[in-house]
Amino acid sequence: MTAAVLAIDAGQTGIKVRVREHDIVFPGIRTGEPLLPQLAAVTHAAIERTGAEVSVVSAGVSGLTTRESDAAALLARIDDAAVHEVILAHDSTTSFLGALGDTRGAVVAAGTGVVTLAVGAERVARVDGWGYLMGDAGSGYWIGREALDAVMREYDGRGPTTALRAVAEDRWPDLSQAYIHLQSDPERVSVVASFAAHVARLASEGDAVSQNITVRAGGELAHSVETALRRVRSEEVGEHFAACAIGGVFRSPQLREAFASHIAASEFDVTLVEPRGHGIDGAAALAGLAPQHPLAHAVSVAHT
């Protein structure tokens, strides 16, 4: 039996692993702990569970920092004689490869957070993905934060009435104390982001405040795509791009419509397309990425 590629799509909600015909899901990465030991442990567990002889480990990782993007260090931690190559990249890279493959364009991945990656003929541009404190415009967290702001504006008399208030009161009956409960909740990021689903539902039911938040979120996400494409476009006449929107935020029909409307009105020749695959497909594709590909500079590779 020939040696296999073990592909890893590592996110905060779960780590997906693919080797041969096996697809395995492990608990998500723990952001407060060193990353490389976690990836090495997942690699060992997957090899043990499947019995596969793995020669290449390729991983796309959420929130991968420059310091942690060290394929040689991961290869040393794996310490398996059969594994002779490790490929490591940020999950924006593998999301792009999974969704668009070897195509010029942009992929915006919006869940709790959001990151946009564009690839042109020669250049690559990443836009946002700066976390809930500094960025992630249009993300689930951003939408939830806008929802809670609207709730408290109504509570104070500073803003219009909204059905979102009842949703917040279901969680915090005394809204005057809601901020205390939220600030002390270790899961506050996911709690805030959970309000995005209510915004989508209430927007479809006609709540004007929810509709306004939804339309603005779609505009923010489209703005990131347009900005990324502007940074990678060439002087080539008639250059065409594909754009792909993935992640739970885009389950909202009104948000997706607002996003699509902005893209259609942009200065670019761009077509919205459905994703070809998922992040795990992109992680597997890392093993075949050509050295001259524009994304290659964003990938760390180590060999024995």
Side-chain angles (χ1 to χ4, degrees):
M1 181 181 292
T2 59
V5 174
L6 188 149
I8 301 174
D9 178 27
Q12 295 181 42
T13 57
I15 300 175
K16 300 172 185 174
V17 177
R18 177 176 296 167
V19 55
R20 296 197 187 281
E21 71 278 11
H22 302 282
D23 284 315
I24 309 168
V25 178
F26 294 92
I29 55 176
R30 300 177 296 279
T31 57
E33 301 177 18
L35 175 63
L36 299 188
Q38 297 178 64
L39 295 177
V42 165
T43 299
H44 292 146
I47 291 173
E48 181 178 354
R49 187 178 302 184
T50 62
E53 183 178 343
V54 171
S55 61
V56 178
V57 174
S58 60
V61 186
S62 173
L64 185 69
T65 65
T66 302
R67 179 178 57 82
E68 293 168 321
S69 186
D70 188 342
L74 179 56
L75 180 60
R77 283 190 173 275
I78 292 172
D79 191 25
D80 185 316
V83 178
H84 65 78
E85 183 177 13
V86 166
I87 310 165
L88 195 55
H90 190 273
D91 69 341
S92 60
T93 298
T94 48
S95 290
F96 186 96
L97 291 172
L100 290 183
D102 191 11
T103 302
R104 297 186 199 181
V107 174
V108 52
T112 297
V114 61
V115 64
T116 299
L117 189 73
V119 177
E122 299 178 350
R123 294 187 292 274
V124 174
R126 172 182 164 179
V127 171
D128 212 340
W130 307 131
Y132 71 98
L133 289 176
M134 297 176 65
D136 286 353
S139 68
Y141 180 89
W142 185 94
I143 293 169
R145 173 65 180 78
E146 292 295 302
L148 292 176
D149 178 79
V151 167
M152 299 318 295
R153 284 178 180 274
E154 181 196 342
Y155 180 81
D156 286 341
R158 293 178 292 137
T161 59
T162 172
L164 288 165
R165 177 171 178 171
V167 176
E169 287 176 330
D170 281 343
R171 187 174 191 100
W172 305 293
D174 182 357
L175 286 181
S176 71
Q177 298 300 302
Y179 75 104
I180 297 295
H181 294 297
L182 185 58
Q183 289 174 4
S184 61
D185 191 336
E187 302 298 323
R188 56 187 171 274
V189 173
S190 60
V191 169
V192 172
S194 72
F195 279 82
H198 297 290
V199 171
R201 174 178 59 82
L202 293 172
S204 68
E205 295 175 2
D207 181 67
V209 170
S210 297
Q211 289 175 339
N212 177 265
I213 294 171
T214 298
V215 169
R216 288 191 290 116
E220 289 284 0
L221 295 167
H223 182 50
S224 289
V225 168
E226 293 165 19
T227 300
L229 291 177
R230 192 170 295 113
R231 288 170 52 188
V232 303
R233 65 181 170 188
S234 66
E235 299 301 318
E236 178 182 315
V237 176
E239 186 174 30
H240 178 76
F241 294 104
C244 189
I246 60 177
V249 160
F250 288 101
R251 295 193 191 105
S252 164
Q254 291 194 353
L255 184 146
R256 194 173 185 90
E257 181 181 351
F259 172 80
S261 177
H262 280 279
I263 294 297
S266 76
E267 65 195 87
F268 302 98
D269 179 10
V270 55
T271 302
L272 282 177
V273 300
E274 293 299 315
R276 297 179 182 181
H278 304 285
I280 190 67
D281 301 298
L286 277 179
L289 192 66
Q292 66 271 22
H293 193 282
L295 283 171
H297 81 280
V299 178
S300 177
V301 182
H303 304 268
T304 55

